[in-house]
C-alpha cells in the first residue's frame, strides 16, 4: 500500500471498535458453520456488509449503515483496517491467482470468539446441531460446551448421536 493509504488505515483503526469486535465474533462463527478454514478479502467484505446490515446492534450501527450507503469504499476500508490491525494472519499468497488467503491466528481463538457469539444467538441449538454434523467443528462444539450455561441442552444434542453407528464422527465413538 502507498504510505498515505496505510497511514489513513492506521488513523481510522480505532473507529467503531465495538462493531469490529462484534463482527469478529460473528465472522468466526460463520467460518466454522460454513466449514471454511481460510478466507480472502472478498469473503471478508461480504461478511462484514451482511453483518452491518442485518446483525449489528450497537448505537453506531445506523450511522455506519448510512455511511455505507453513501460511501462505496467504507466496507473495504473497514475490512482493510481489520486486516492491518494484525487480527488475521496470512495463510497463503498464491502467485498464480494473486489472492491473499487469511485466517485467525489460532484455531482456539476463532472457536472462543464463535462460541461467545453463538451464546448470544437465539437459534444457537439449531446452529450447534448443524455443527455436530461436521467433523471439523468437533473442537468448536467442545469449546462451546465448556463456555455455555446450557450444557444439559448441548449434551441432549450430542448423546443420541453416539448410539448411531455410521453417524459422522460421534457414531464412530460408539
Amino acid at each position: 500500500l502507498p504510505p498515505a493509504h496505510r497511514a489513513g488505515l492506521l488513523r481510522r483503526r480505532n473507529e467503531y471498535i465495538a462493531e469490529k469486535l462484534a463482527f469478529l465474533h460473528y465472522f468466526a462463527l460463520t467460518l466454522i458453520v460454513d466449514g471454511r478454514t481460510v478466507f480472502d478479502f472478498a469473503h471478508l467484505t461480504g461478511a462484514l456488509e451482511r453483518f452491518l446490515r442485518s446483525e449489528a446492534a450497537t448505537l453506531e450501527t445506523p450511522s455506519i449503515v448510512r455511511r455505507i450507503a453513501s460511501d462505496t469504499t467504507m466496507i473495504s476500508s473497514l475490512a482493510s483496517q481489520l486486516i492491518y490491525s494484525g487480527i488475521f494472519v496470512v495463510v497463503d499468497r498464491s502467485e498464480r491467482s494473486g489472492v491473499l488467503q487469511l485466517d485467525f491466528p489460532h484455531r482456539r481463538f476463532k472457536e472462543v470468539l464463535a462460541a461467545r457469539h453463538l451464546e448470544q444467538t437465539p437459534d444457537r441449538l439449531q446452529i450447534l446441531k448443524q455443527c455436530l454434523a461436521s467433523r471439523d467443528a468437533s473442537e468448536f462444539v467442545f469449546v462451546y460446551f465448556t463456555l455455555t450455561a446450557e450444557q444439559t441442552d448441548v449434551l441432549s444434542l450430542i448423546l443420541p448421536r453416539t448410539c448411531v453407528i455410521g453417524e459422522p464422527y460421534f457414531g464412530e465413538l460408539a
Side-chain angles (χ1 to χ4, degrees):
L1 290 177
H5 188 91
R6 186 174 299 163
L9 288 173
L10 290 174
R11 226 181 7 264
R12 291 186 302 275
R13 70 179 169 195
N14 290 330
E15 292 179 337
Y16 310 120
I17 292 173
E19 291 78 10
K20 289 175 187 173
L21 183 59
F23 169 71
L24 290 173
H25 288 82
Y26 163 85
F27 189 52
L29 181 61
T30 61
L31 290 173
I32 289 171
V33 169
D34 294 345
R36 292 183 70 108
T37 54
V38 297
F39 56 92
D40 59 15
F41 188 78
H43 187 78
L44 177 64
T45 56
L48 186 55
E49 185 162 10
R50 280 189 303 281
F51 171 76
L52 290 171
R53 291 191 186 275
S54 62
E55 297 274 336
T58 67
L59 294 175
E60 290 289 328
T61 302
S63 76
I64 295 171
V65 171
R66 279 192 302 276
R67 279 188 66 192
I68 290 169
S70 65
D71 181 3
T72 58
T73 64
M74 172 109 178
I75 292 290
S76 62
S77 175
L78 288 172
S80 295
Q81 290 170 37
L82 288 169
I83 290 170
Y84 290 111
S85 70
I87 200 73
F88 304 121
V89 294
V90 175
V91 176
D92 181 33
R93 180 178 226 141
S94 177
E95 294 294 323
R96 287 177 291 161
S97 67
V99 176
L100 188 69
Q101 296 290 315
L102 303 161
D103 195 7
F104 283 87
H106 195 280
R107 183 176 176 102
R108 184 56 52 107
F109 175 59
K110 179 171 39 177
E111 291 167 345
V112 169
L113 289 174
R116 294 210 171 144
H117 183 73
L118 185 60
E119 187 69 22
Q120 306 303 314
T121 305
D123 56 344
R124 61 187 156 273
L125 293 177
Q126 190 62 30
I127 293 170
L128 193 62
K129 195 177 206 181
Q130 183 181 347
C131 290
L132 286 172
S134 169
R135 180 181 286 246
D136 291 334
S138 61
E139 283 295 316
F140 167 68
V141 172
F142 173 74
V143 169
Y144 181 74
F145 178 78
T146 61
L147 294 176
T148 188
E150 299 177 329
Q151 290 180 338
T152 304
D153 293 333
V154 174
L155 283 176
S156 70
L157 290 174
I158 294 172
L159 290 177
R161 298 176 72 100
T162 62
C163 300
V164 179
I165 303 299
E167 182 74 25
Y169 185 69
F170 290 106
E172 295 173 12
L173 297 175

mmCIF file of all heavy atoms in Angstrom, residues 87-120:
data_model
loop_
_atom_site.group_PDB
_atom_site.id
_atom_site.type_symbol
_atom_site.label_atom_id
_atom_site.label_comp_id
_atom_site.label_asym_id
_atom_site.label_seq_id
_atom_site.Cartn_x
_atom_site.Cartn_y
_atom_site.Cartn_z
ATOM 1 N N ILE A 87 -5.166 -8.698 13.346
ATOM 2 C CA ILE A 87 -6.072 -9.696 13.915
ATOM 3 C C ILE A 87 -6.071 -10.991 13.115
ATOM 4 O O ILE A 87 -6.384 -12.048 13.629
ATOM 5 C CB ILE A 87 -7.495 -9.118 14.065
ATOM 6 C CG1 ILE A 87 -8.311 -9.919 15.065
ATOM 7 C CG2 ILE A 87 -8.224 -9.063 12.746
ATOM 8 C CD1 ILE A 87 -7.912 -9.710 16.473
ATOM 9 N N PHE A 88 -5.706 -10.915 11.842
ATOM 10 C CA PHE A 88 -5.641 -12.088 10.980
ATOM 11 C C PHE A 88 -4.196 -12.346 10.568
ATOM 12 O O PHE A 88 -3.362 -11.461 10.631
ATOM 13 C CB PHE A 88 -6.485 -11.884 9.711
ATOM 14 C CG PHE A 88 -7.921 -11.550 9.988
ATOM 15 C CD1 PHE A 88 -8.472 -10.374 9.519
ATOM 16 C CD2 PHE A 88 -8.734 -12.407 10.715
ATOM 17 C CE1 PHE A 88 -9.799 -10.049 9.759
ATOM 18 C CE2 PHE A 88 -10.062 -12.108 10.962
ATOM 19 C CZ PHE A 88 -10.592 -10.918 10.495
ATOM 20 N N VAL A 89 -3.936 -13.572 10.146
ATOM 21 C CA VAL A 89 -2.615 -13.918 9.629
ATOM 22 C C VAL A 89 -2.749 -14.345 8.174
ATOM 23 O O VAL A 89 -3.795 -14.853 7.760
ATOM 24 C CB VAL A 89 -1.946 -15.055 10.443
ATOM 25 C CG1 VAL A 89 -1.628 -14.604 11.856
ATOM 26 C CG2 VAL A 89 -2.798 -16.304 10.466
ATOM 27 N N VAL A 90 -1.695 -14.122 7.415
ATOM 28 C CA VAL A 90 -1.664 -14.544 6.019
ATOM 29 C C VAL A 90 -1.351 -16.028 5.986
ATOM 30 O O VAL A 90 -0.354 -16.479 6.546
ATOM 31 C CB VAL A 90 -0.609 -13.751 5.219
ATOM 32 C CG1 VAL A 90 -0.492 -14.285 3.799
ATOM 33 C CG2 VAL A 90 -0.934 -12.266 5.220
ATOM 34 N N VAL A 91 -2.220 -16.785 5.355
ATOM 35 C CA VAL A 91 -2.046 -18.228 5.255
ATOM 36 C C VAL A 91 -1.376 -18.587 3.940
ATOM 37 O O VAL A 91 -0.504 -19.435 3.882
ATOM 38 C CB VAL A 91 -3.408 -18.951 5.389
ATOM 39 C CG1 VAL A 91 -3.253 -20.442 5.199
ATOM 40 C CG2 VAL A 91 -4.034 -18.642 6.727
ATOM 41 N N ASP A 92 -1.800 -17.909 2.871
ATOM 42 C CA ASP A 92 -1.255 -18.210 1.554
ATOM 43 C C ASP A 92 -1.352 -16.969 0.685
ATOM 44 O O ASP A 92 -2.356 -16.264 0.699
ATOM 45 C CB ASP A 92 -2.044 -19.355 0.911
ATOM 46 C CG ASP A 92 -1.509 -19.741 -0.460
ATOM 47 O OD1 ASP A 92 -0.291 -19.636 -0.679
ATOM 48 O OD2 ASP A 92 -2.323 -20.138 -1.306
ATOM 49 N N ARG A 93 -0.297 -16.727 -0.034
ATOM 50 C CA ARG A 93 -0.308 -15.656 -1.025
ATOM 51 C C ARG A 93 0.077 -16.309 -2.340
ATOM 52 O O ARG A 93 1.238 -16.361 -2.716
ATOM 53 C CB ARG A 93 0.671 -14.557 -0.640
ATOM 54 C CG ARG A 93 0.686 -13.447 -1.645
ATOM 55 C CD ARG A 93 1.615 -12.333 -1.235
ATOM 56 N NE ARG A 93 0.890 -11.105 -1.435
ATOM 57 C CZ ARG A 93 0.931 -10.069 -0.655
ATOM 58 N NH1 ARG A 93 1.674 -10.087 0.410
ATOM 59 N NH2 ARG A 93 0.250 -8.996 -0.919
ATOM 60 N N SER A 94 -0.918 -16.836 -2.999
ATOM 61 C CA SER A 94 -0.702 -17.597 -4.212
ATOM 62 C C SER A 94 -0.231 -16.694 -5.342
ATOM 63 O O SER A 94 -0.844 -15.683 -5.652
ATOM 64 C CB SER A 94 -2.006 -18.303 -4.611
ATOM 65 O OG SER A 94 -1.828 -18.983 -5.815
ATOM 66 N N GLU A 95 0.853 -17.081 -5.951
ATOM 67 C CA GLU A 95 1.388 -16.322 -7.079
ATOM 68 C C GLU A 95 0.490 -16.458 -8.308
ATOM 69 O O GLU A 95 0.337 -15.519 -9.071
ATOM 70 C CB GLU A 95 2.808 -16.809 -7.416
ATOM 71 C CG GLU A 95 3.816 -16.525 -6.325
ATOM 72 C CD GLU A 95 4.056 -15.041 -6.116
ATOM 73 O OE1 GLU A 95 4.057 -14.286 -7.107
ATOM 74 O OE2 GLU A 95 4.246 -14.642 -4.958
ATOM 75 N N ARG A 96 -0.114 -17.633 -8.480
ATOM 76 C CA ARG A 96 -0.945 -17.864 -9.660
ATOM 77 C C ARG A 96 -2.222 -17.035 -9.631
ATOM 78 O O ARG A 96 -2.556 -16.353 -10.580
ATOM 79 C CB ARG A 96 -1.292 -19.341 -9.794
ATOM 80 C CG ARG A 96 -0.112 -20.178 -10.244
ATOM 81 C CD ARG A 96 -0.493 -21.625 -10.291
ATOM 82 N NE ARG A 96 -0.680 -22.040 -8.892
ATOM 83 C CZ ARG A 96 -1.346 -23.087 -8.511
ATOM 84 N NH1 ARG A 96 -1.909 -23.867 -9.380
ATOM 85 N NH2 ARG A 96 -1.462 -23.399 -7.245
ATOM 86 N N SER A 97 -2.946 -17.094 -8.545
ATOM 87 C CA SER A 97 -4.234 -16.401 -8.504
ATOM 88 C C SER A 97 -4.105 -14.971 -7.990
ATOM 89 O O SER A 97 -4.982 -14.158 -8.239
ATOM 90 C CB SER A 97 -5.218 -17.178 -7.626
ATOM 91 O OG SER A 97 -4.793 -17.137 -6.281
ATOM 92 N N GLY A 98 -3.047 -14.691 -7.254
ATOM 93 C CA GLY A 98 -2.876 -13.357 -6.691
ATOM 94 C C GLY A 98 -3.829 -13.067 -5.543
ATOM 95 O O GLY A 98 -3.957 -11.936 -5.106
ATOM 96 N N VAL A 99 -4.519 -14.099 -5.034
ATOM 97 C CA VAL A 99 -5.485 -13.915 -3.952
ATOM 98 C C VAL A 99 -4.808 -14.202 -2.621
ATOM 99 O O VAL A 99 -4.208 -15.257 -2.429
ATOM 100 C CB VAL A 99 -6.705 -14.848 -4.152
ATOM 101 C CG1 VAL A 99 -7.662 -14.747 -2.987
ATOM 102 C CG2 VAL A 99 -7.404 -14.513 -5.447
ATOM 103 N N LEU A 100 -4.927 -13.263 -1.730
ATOM 104 C CA LEU A 100 -4.365 -13.391 -0.390
ATOM 105 C C LEU A 100 -5.346 -14.178 0.476
ATOM 106 O O LEU A 100 -6.512 -13.797 0.600
ATOM 107 C CB LEU A 100 -4.145 -11.993 0.192
ATOM 108 C CG LEU A 100 -3.411 -11.876 1.496
ATOM 109 C CD1 LEU A 100 -1.943 -12.261 1.300
ATOM 110 C CD2 LEU A 100 -3.489 -10.444 1.994
ATOM 111 N N GLN A 101 -4.915 -15.296 1.049
ATOM 112 C CA GLN A 101 -5.751 -16.116 1.917
ATOM 113 C C GLN A 101 -5.393 -15.796 3.367
ATOM 114 O O GLN A 101 -4.220 -15.775 3.726
ATOM 115 C CB GLN A 101 -5.519 -17.600 1.640
ATOM 116 C CG GLN A 101 -5.915 -18.031 0.247
ATOM 117 C CD GLN A 101 -7.420 -18.008 0.042
ATOM 118 O OE1 GLN A 101 -8.187 -18.464 0.870
ATOM 119 N NE2 GLN A 101 -7.834 -17.447 -1.087
ATOM 120 N N LEU A 102 -6.421 -15.569 4.194
ATOM 121 C CA LEU A 102 -6.230 -15.166 5.581
ATOM 122 C C LEU A 102 -6.940 -16.137 6.519
ATOM 123 O O LEU A 102 -7.815 -16.883 6.102
ATOM 124 C CB LEU A 102 -6.795 -13.755 5.798
ATOM 125 C CG LEU A 102 -6.233 -12.663 4.901
ATOM 126 C CD1 LEU A 102 -7.163 -11.471 4.869
ATOM 127 C CD2 LEU A 102 -4.865 -12.251 5.389
ATOM 128 N N ASP A 103 -6.581 -16.061 7.796
ATOM 129 C CA ASP A 103 -7.264 -16.826 8.832
ATOM 130 C C ASP A 103 -7.012 -16.141 10.160
ATOM 131 O O ASP A 103 -6.181 -15.237 10.274
ATOM 132 C CB ASP A 103 -6.749 -18.270 8.876
ATOM 133 C CG ASP A 103 -7.672 -19.205 9.672
ATOM 134 O OD1 ASP A 103 -8.773 -18.772 10.087
ATOM 135 O OD2 ASP A 103 -7.297 -20.373 9.864
ATOM 136 N N PHE A 104 -7.727 -16.586 11.195
ATOM 137 C CA PHE A 104 -7.444 -16.130 12.544
ATOM 138 C C PHE A 104 -6.097 -16.724 12.954
ATOM 139 O O PHE A 104 -5.719 -17.795 12.463
ATOM 140 C CB PHE A 104 -8.543 -16.588 13.504
ATOM 141 C CG PHE A 104 -9.803 -15.772 13.401
ATOM 142 C CD1 PHE A 104 -10.784 -16.089 12.473
ATOM 143 C CD2 PHE A 104 -10.008 -14.681 14.230
ATOM 144 C CE1 PHE A 104 -11.935 -15.336 12.370
ATOM 145 C CE2 PHE A 104 -11.156 -13.923 14.142
ATOM 146 C CZ PHE A 104 -12.123 -14.250 13.221
ATOM 147 N N PRO A 105 -5.369 -16.090 13.867
ATOM 148 C CA PRO A 105 -4.025 -16.577 14.198
ATOM 149 C C PRO A 105 -3.997 -17.933 14.895
ATOM 150 O O PRO A 105 -2.994 -18.633 14.840
ATOM 151 C CB PRO A 105 -3.454 -15.490 15.107
ATOM 152 C CG PRO A 105 -4.615 -14.744 15.623
ATOM 153 C CD PRO A 105 -5.697 -14.868 14.592
ATOM 154 N N HIS A 106 -5.078 -18.311 15.536
ATOM 155 C CA HIS A 106 -5.104 -19.583 16.240
ATOM 156 C C HIS A 106 -6.523 -20.135 16.195
ATOM 157 O O HIS A 106 -7.490 -19.406 16.383
ATOM 158 C CB HIS A 106 -4.666 -19.383 17.701
ATOM 159 C CG HIS A 106 -4.325 -20.639 18.397
ATOM 160 N ND1 HIS A 106 -5.287 -21.477 18.920
ATOM 161 C CD2 HIS A 106 -3.142 -21.226 18.652
ATOM 162 C CE1 HIS A 106 -4.696 -22.515 19.478
ATOM 163 N NE2 HIS A 106 -3.399 -22.388 19.332
ATOM 164 N N ARG A 107 -6.639 -21.414 15.948
ATOM 165 C CA ARG A 107 -7.954 -22.044 15.823
ATOM 166 C C ARG A 107 -8.777 -21.886 17.098
ATOM 167 O O ARG A 107 -9.971 -21.588 17.050
ATOM 168 C CB ARG A 107 -7.788 -23.516 15.474
ATOM 169 C CG ARG A 107 -9.107 -24.213 15.250
ATOM 170 C CD ARG A 107 -8.897 -25.653 14.797
ATOM 171 N NE ARG A 107 -10.153 -26.325 14.677
ATOM 172 C CZ ARG A 107 -10.761 -26.558 13.518
ATOM 173 N NH1 ARG A 107 -10.209 -26.176 12.399
ATOM 174 N NH2 ARG A 107 -11.912 -27.183 13.483
ATOM 175 N N ARG A 108 -8.163 -22.052 18.259
ATOM 176 C CA ARG A 108 -8.912 -21.939 19.517
ATOM 177 C C ARG A 108 -9.425 -20.515 19.721
ATOM 178 O O ARG A 108 -10.516 -20.299 20.224
ATOM 179 C CB ARG A 108 -8.018 -22.374 20.694
ATOM 180 C CG ARG A 108 -8.699 -22.396 22.044
ATOM 181 C CD ARG A 108 -9.965 -23.266 22.123
ATOM 182 N NE ARG A 108 -9.811 -24.605 21.665
ATOM 183 C CZ ARG A 108 -9.771 -25.682 22.428
ATOM 184 N NH1 ARG A 108 -9.876 -25.574 23.728
ATOM 185 N NH2 ARG A 108 -9.626 -26.872 21.897
ATOM 186 N N PHE A 109 -8.637 -19.528 19.315
ATOM 187 C CA PHE A 109 -9.071 -18.127 19.372
ATOM 188 C C PHE A 109 -10.354 -17.951 18.558
ATOM 189 O O PHE A 109 -11.334 -17.362 19.025
ATOM 190 C CB PHE A 109 -7.943 -17.232 18.842
ATOM 191 C CG PHE A 109 -8.280 -15.774 18.739
ATOM 192 C CD1 PHE A 109 -8.670 -15.045 19.851
ATOM 193 C CD2 PHE A 109 -8.184 -15.120 17.521
ATOM 194 C CE1 PHE A 109 -8.964 -13.691 19.761
ATOM 195 C CE2 PHE A 109 -8.476 -13.772 17.418
ATOM 196 C CZ PHE A 109 -8.871 -13.063 18.535
ATOM 197 N N LYS A 110 -10.370 -18.496 17.352
ATOM 198 C CA LYS A 110 -11.556 -18.421 16.493
ATOM 199 C C LYS A 110 -12.731 -19.152 17.141
ATOM 200 O O LYS A 110 -13.864 -18.667 17.126
ATOM 201 C CB LYS A 110 -11.244 -19.021 15.116
ATOM 202 C CG LYS A 110 -12.412 -18.999 14.168
ATOM 203 C CD LYS A 110 -12.112 -19.383 12.728
ATOM 204 C CE LYS A 110 -11.162 -20.470 12.480
ATOM 205 N NZ LYS A 110 -10.986 -20.811 11.063
ATOM 206 N N GLU A 111 -12.478 -20.313 17.741
ATOM 207 C CA GLU A 111 -13.548 -21.093 18.360
ATOM 208 C C GLU A 111 -14.148 -20.383 19.572
ATOM 209 O O GLU A 111 -15.364 -20.413 19.766
ATOM 210 C CB GLU A 111 -13.023 -22.470 18.755
ATOM 211 C CG GLU A 111 -12.713 -23.347 17.568
ATOM 212 C CD GLU A 111 -11.902 -24.578 17.915
ATOM 213 O OE1 GLU A 111 -11.320 -24.650 19.023
ATOM 214 O OE2 GLU A 111 -11.845 -25.482 17.069
ATOM 215 N N VAL A 112 -13.314 -19.729 20.362
ATOM 216 C CA VAL A 112 -13.825 -18.997 21.535
ATOM 217 C C VAL A 112 -14.664 -17.806 21.083
ATOM 218 O O VAL A 112 -15.746 -17.558 21.627
ATOM 219 C CB VAL A 112 -12.675 -18.568 22.468
ATOM 220 C CG1 VAL A 112 -13.156 -17.591 23.528
ATOM 221 C CG2 VAL A 112 -12.053 -19.793 23.136
ATOM 222 N N LEU A 113 -14.177 -17.066 20.092
ATOM 223 C CA LEU A 113 -14.972 -15.951 19.562
ATOM 224 C C LEU A 113 -16.319 -16.462 19.048
ATOM 225 O O LEU A 113 -17.373 -15.878 19.333
ATOM 226 C CB LEU A 113 -14.228 -15.251 18.425
ATOM 227 C CG LEU A 113 -13.007 -14.413 18.789
ATOM 228 C CD1 LEU A 113 -12.318 -13.927 17.526
ATOM 229 C CD2 LEU A 113 -13.388 -13.247 19.676
ATOM 230 N N ALA A 114 -16.292 -17.551 18.292
ATOM 231 C CA ALA A 114 -17.517 -18.116 17.728
ATOM 232 C C ALA A 114 -18.467 -18.594 18.827
ATOM 233 O O ALA A 114 -19.679 -18.369 18.749
ATOM 234 C CB ALA A 114 -17.173 -19.265 16.783
ATOM 235 N N ALA A 115 -17.925 -19.236 19.843
ATOM 236 C CA ALA A 115 -18.754 -19.739 20.942
ATOM 237 C C ALA A 115 -19.434 -18.591 21.684
ATOM 238 O O ALA A 115 -20.611 -18.685 22.051
ATOM 239 C CB ALA A 115 -17.908 -20.562 21.907
ATOM 240 N N ARG A 116 -18.714 -17.514 21.863
ATOM 241 C CA ARG A 116 -19.314 -16.351 22.552
ATOM 242 C C ARG A 116 -20.423 -15.726 21.708
ATOM 243 O O ARG A 116 -21.407 -15.251 22.247
ATOM 244 C CB ARG A 116 -18.237 -15.353 22.900
ATOM 245 C CG ARG A 116 -17.292 -15.958 23.924
ATOM 246 C CD ARG A 116 -16.680 -14.975 24.819
ATOM 247 N NE ARG A 116 -15.974 -15.704 25.868
ATOM 248 C CZ ARG A 116 -14.852 -15.316 26.390
ATOM 249 N NH1 ARG A 116 -14.291 -14.202 25.990
ATOM 250 N NH2 ARG A 116 -14.279 -16.016 27.341
ATOM 251 N N HIS A 117 -20.247 -15.731 20.398
ATOM 252 C CA HIS A 117 -21.321 -15.212 19.542
ATOM 253 C C HIS A 117 -22.507 -16.167 19.536
ATOM 254 O O HIS A 117 -23.663 -15.732 19.614
ATOM 255 C CB HIS A 117 -20.824 -14.977 18.109
ATOM 256 C CG HIS A 117 -21.873 -14.377 17.240
ATOM 257 N ND1 HIS A 117 -22.276 -13.067 17.352
ATOM 258 C CD2 HIS A 117 -22.642 -14.915 16.272
ATOM 259 C CE1 HIS A 117 -23.231 -12.821 16.479
ATOM 260 N NE2 HIS A 117 -23.479 -13.931 15.808
ATOM 261 N N LEU A 118 -22.226 -17.446 19.471
ATOM 262 C CA LEU A 118 -23.300 -18.440 19.461
ATOM 263 C C LEU A 118 -24.135 -18.345 20.735
ATOM 264 O O LEU A 118 -25.357 -18.494 20.687
ATOM 265 C CB LEU A 118 -22.733 -19.850 19.295
ATOM 266 C CG LEU A 118 -23.743 -20.975 19.153
ATOM 267 C CD1 LEU A 118 -24.642 -20.767 17.930
ATOM 268 C CD2 LEU A 118 -23.036 -22.313 19.065
ATOM 269 N N GLU A 119 -23.499 -18.068 21.840
ATOM 270 C CA GLU A 119 -24.189 -17.944 23.125
ATOM 271 C C GLU A 119 -25.267 -16.846 23.073
ATOM 272 O O GLU A 119 -26.284 -16.945 23.749
ATOM 273 C CB GLU A 119 -23.167 -17.636 24.227
ATOM 274 C CG GLU A 119 -23.716 -17.656 25.614
ATOM 275 C CD GLU A 119 -24.114 -19.033 26.117
ATOM 276 O OE1 GLU A 119 -23.602 -20.040 25.588
ATOM 277 O OE2 GLU A 119 -24.939 -19.109 27.031
ATOM 278 N N GLN A 120 -25.045 -15.827 22.257
ATOM 279 C CA GLN A 120 -25.984 -14.705 22.133
ATOM 280 C C GLN A 120 -27.000 -14.888 21.002
ATOM 281 O O GLN A 120 -27.844 -14.030 20.800
ATOM 282 C CB GLN A 120 -25.204 -13.405 21.891
ATOM 283 C CG GLN A 120 -24.124 -13.113 22.908
ATOM 284 C CD GLN A 120 -24.666 -13.058 24.323
ATOM 285 O OE1 GLN A 120 -25.689 -12.437 24.563
ATOM 286 N NE2 GLN A 120 -23.990 -13.709 25.251
#
